[in-house]
Amino acid sequence: SDILLMRLHPYQRDDHSKSGIVMTFVNINQLKAAQQALQARTDELEYLYQTVPIGLGVINADLVYVRANNILAQMNGWDTSE
């Protein structure tokens, strides 16, 4: 079945007075499918970060770690509670 997004907007006349609402429905099946696929990939990456026996990390443009798994943290003596 289709997944629909309902939008409500005031109906505005040429004289800027409001006299009702405009209701539209937008099919968001593709958006939901993409969202689910992205969540599946995110879950896979999270699983890898938690289970691989090597240190993994992500650094930003300033060469500062913005993400590190527990192995990398232990290798560098970082507090893993953060």
Side-chain angles (χ1 to χ4, degrees):
S1 79
D2 288 336
I3 301 171
L4 302 175
L5 172 67
M6 181 177 65
R7 294 180 178 160
L8 298 173
H9 297 280
Y11 177 77
Q12 187 169 328
R13 296 173 163 216
D14 290 338
D15 65 358
H16 301 290
S17 65
K18 308 222 178 357
S19 70
I21 63 169
V22 176
M23 184 184 312
T24 59
F25 294 92
V26 179
N27 184 316
I28 59 169
N29 289 343
Q30 288 181 333
L31 177 62
K32 283 296 186 180
Q35 184 181 41
Q36 290 169 348
L38 180 59
Q39 185 61 53
R41 294 290 179 232
T42 301
D43 293 345
E44 289 173 7
L45 285 174
E46 186 60 35
Y47 177 77
L48 285 174
Y49 258 89
Q50 299 302 321
T51 60
V52 295
I54 61 171
L56 289 178
V58 176
I59 57 173
N60 64 15
D62 297 322
L63 303 179
V64 175
Y65 280 100
V66 293
R67 174 95 194 259
N69 70 353
N70 287 337
I71 302 293
L72 183 61
Q74 290 171 1
M75 288 169 50
N76 288 289
W78 299 333
D79 181 12
T80 58
S81 64
E82 296 178 13

